[in-house]
Amino acid sequence: YQRRVHGGTYECKLCLTTHNNEGNYLAHTQGKRHRTNLARRAAKDRLEQPAPAPMRRKVLPRKTVKIGRPGYQVTKSRDPLTTQRTLHFTIHYPEIEEGLQPRHRFMSAYEQRKEAPDKNFQYLLFAAEPYETIAFKIPNQEVDKEPGRFTTNWDGEKQIFVLQLSFRSRD
C-alpha cells in the first residue's frame, strides 16, 4: 500500500495518509489505524471472494469392453380403440451385467451427430452394459404417456426389455 510521491513524501494508499519520510511511514504501519484498516480490507476481501464450489466426485465413464449389439424386434401397429399408432420394442440382453436394468431415453434429432438433423424425426436409445447403445429413428410426434399407453418392462429372468409407446393422435 506504499507509494512514493514526487515530492519525496510517502503515501499509504490503504489509509489515505501522507508521511514526510520513510521512517514515519514505517511507524504508521505499526499503528492502530493502519492495522484496523488492514483487518477491514481482509474482511471485505473474504466477503467478495466467491464461495468455493462444493467438491463433486467426478464420475468416470465405465471401461467395459462392448460385446456388440443386442438382439431386437420392433412391431408397428394401431390401437383398435383409439387408432393411435403404436411401436412395440423387444430388446434381448442375454449377457447383461448382473444386477443391471436396461435404460432408455428419447433424443432429439439435433442432439445426435451421426446424420444431418431432420426435424421430422427423433431417436429412441436403449443402453445396457456390456452391449453397445442402440438407437431407433422414430417420428417426431408427441408420445402419449397416459397409463397403459407408454409401458416398459424388464424381465430379469429371460433378460428381455420391452417398451411400448403410442403416439398422440393428430386432431
Side-chain angles (χ1 to χ4, degrees):
Y1 302 110
Q2 175 186 6
R3 187 177 99 180
R4 186 172 182 157
V5 185
H6 61 82
T9 60
Y10 294 87
E11 181 180 39
C12 177
K13 291 196 277 181
L14 177 64
C15 303
L16 301 174
T17 58
T18 57
H19 305 279
N20 293 332
N21 54 39
E22 191 173 2
N24 196 352
Y25 172 77
L26 291 175
H28 162 75
T29 59
Q30 303 302 314
K32 183 177 179 181
R33 182 178 195 183
H34 189 79
R35 285 187 305 204
T36 305
N37 286 338
L38 278 176
R40 188 178 302 142
R41 171 63 69 94
K44 180 181 173 192
D45 288 347
R46 276 194 302 274
L47 287 175
E48 290 178 355
Q49 192 176 37
M55 295 294 288
R56 285 189 186 174
R57 282 195 341 229
K58 188 172 183 178
V59 178
L60 298 173
R62 296 178 72 159
K63 302 279 186 194
T64 57
V65 177
K66 302 293 185 182
I67 62 171
R69 294 187 185 114
Y72 59 87
Q73 185 176 7
V74 180
T75 307
K76 295 191 275 187
S77 62
R78 281 205 184 265
D79 187 320
L81 300 174
T82 61
T83 67
Q84 288 179 318
R85 294 184 348 180
T86 63
L87 291 173
H88 184 90
F89 296 91
T90 305
I91 317 291
H92 305 276
Y93 291 106
E95 296 179 33
I96 190 170
E97 287 185 7
E98 188 70 30
L100 282 184
Q101 180 173 336
R103 300 177 317 272
H104 71 279
R105 93 172 189 92
F106 291 93
M107 178 185 281
S108 163
Y110 298 99
E111 287 181 77
Q112 57 85 27
R113 298 284 177 241
K114 294 288 184 184
E115 55 188 52
D118 185 351
K119 67 176 183 171
N120 298 319
F121 295 99
Q122 62 184 334
Y123 295 85
L124 178 58
L125 281 68
F126 295 93
E129 295 288 343
Y131 291 95
E132 292 178 17
T133 301
I134 58 173
F136 296 93
K137 191 174 184 177
I138 61 175
N140 191 14
Q141 296 175 353
E142 188 177 358
V143 175
D144 190 355
K145 301 236 174 154
E146 295 292 321
R149 299 275 174 228
F150 183 84
T151 59
T152 60
N153 183 37
W154 168 240
D155 185 347
E157 201 172 285
K158 295 180 182 176
Q159 296 182 321
I160 295 175
F161 185 71
V162 177
L163 182 140
Q164 181 172 342
L165 63 90
S166 300
F167 295 105
R168 286 200 189 267
S169 299
R170 296 182 196 167
D171 291 14

